[in-house]
Amino acid sequence: MNIDAKRHKLLGILSKQANDLDLNKAEYNALGVSFERILYELNCNEDELQLITSDLYTSDEIGYHNAYEIVGLFAKEKGMTAFANKKYRERIYERRKEFIKFLVQTIIPILALIVAILSLSLKFENLKLQSDKELQELKDKLNKQENQLNQLELKTTAPIRIDSSKFKNQ
């Protein structure tokens, strides 16, 4: 779970305690929630809790609680508003949206380039096949004409035989 999701969950725990106290549904009559319960609910250690709460302290959304033998945290008005408005969940969605936008802006041009390269290579291959075919046709025509020329040469270089019997009778 990322830090902003845990911030949202922490604000939910603290807001619930404050609302339960206002409605007289609270387990104990204190505004704050103990650190032990927070660590258990968020399934984190003290170092991670420090990272989670640092931004919440800075933005004045939570405060330190030490009353009625409960040492922990409580939600301030800004924190309850941030939870109600899903401030930290929106951050998660914005990050995901930016990541997807980045991927789309990166992947689509790369895919377009790959398609263009494939298209050009297929086109060049087709042109090569066509030129090879035309070249073969020209070679065949040349061979055919060469054979015809050789046959003509053979006919013209063959000794001419004259039948002398035709000339004697005249």
Side-chain angles (χ1 to χ4, degrees):
M1 186 181 282
N2 76 32
I3 288 181
D4 281 331
K6 288 192 177 188
R7 284 182 183 134
H8 181 76
K9 188 172 181 179
L10 174 60
L11 287 176
I13 295 165
L14 299 177
S15 295
K16 182 179 181 328
Q17 177 63 27
N19 288 337
D20 286 351
L21 185 65
D22 288 343
L23 299 172
N24 293 324
K25 294 175 163 182
E27 233 178 88
Y28 45 89
N29 195 20
L31 183 60
V33 177
S34 70
F35 282 118
E36 292 82 25
R37 182 171 165 211
I38 291 170
L39 291 171
Y40 174 76
E41 293 279 333
L42 295 180
N43 190 24
C44 67
N45 59 31
E46 292 172 357
D47 293 333
E48 192 176 1
L49 183 62
Q50 184 72 29
L51 290 172
I52 294 167
T53 58
S54 63
D55 193 30
L56 298 174
Y57 278 125
T58 304
S59 57
D60 202 32
E61 295 172 342
I62 62 170
Y64 179 75
H65 184 272
N66 188 2
Y68 304 106
E69 298 181 16
I70 296 175
V71 177
L73 302 172
F74 73 97
K76 294 184 176 182
E77 285 297 318
K78 284 184 177 181
M80 294 176 73
T81 303
F83 175 72
N85 292 338
K86 299 178 181 171
K87 173 182 174 181
Y88 294 100
R89 270 203 183 159
E90 291 298 321
R91 275 189 188 177
I92 295 167
Y93 296 137
E94 284 301 315
R95 270 197 217 108
R96 286 180 185 163
K97 200 163 67 172
E98 288 298 317
F99 180 72
I100 290 169
K101 183 179 173 183
F102 171 76
L103 283 179
V104 167
Q105 288 177 339
T106 304
I107 290 175
I108 288 180
I110 290 171
L111 289 176
L113 180 64
I114 290 170
V115 167
I117 289 171
L118 287 174
S119 175
L120 283 174
S121 66
L122 288 174
K123 184 70 173 176
F124 286 139
E125 187 65 30
N126 287 340
L127 285 173
K128 183 183 178 305
L129 289 174
Q130 184 178 357
S131 65
D132 287 348
K133 182 180 174 186
E134 289 175 0
L135 182 63
Q136 188 60 42
E137 287 175 2
L138 286 174
K139 284 181 180 178
D140 290 344
K141 283 183 182 179
L142 183 63
N143 285 339
K144 185 178 177 183
Q145 287 180 351
E146 191 175 322
N147 286 341
Q148 288 175 348
L149 186 61
N150 287 340
Q151 287 177 356
L152 280 175
E153 283 180 3
L154 285 176
K155 285 183 182 178
T156 58
T157 58
I160 301 174
R161 292 190 184 151
I162 301 175
D163 191 11
S164 57
S165 61
K166 289 184 182 178
F167 291 112
K168 288 182 186 176
N169 290 341
Q170 289 181 336

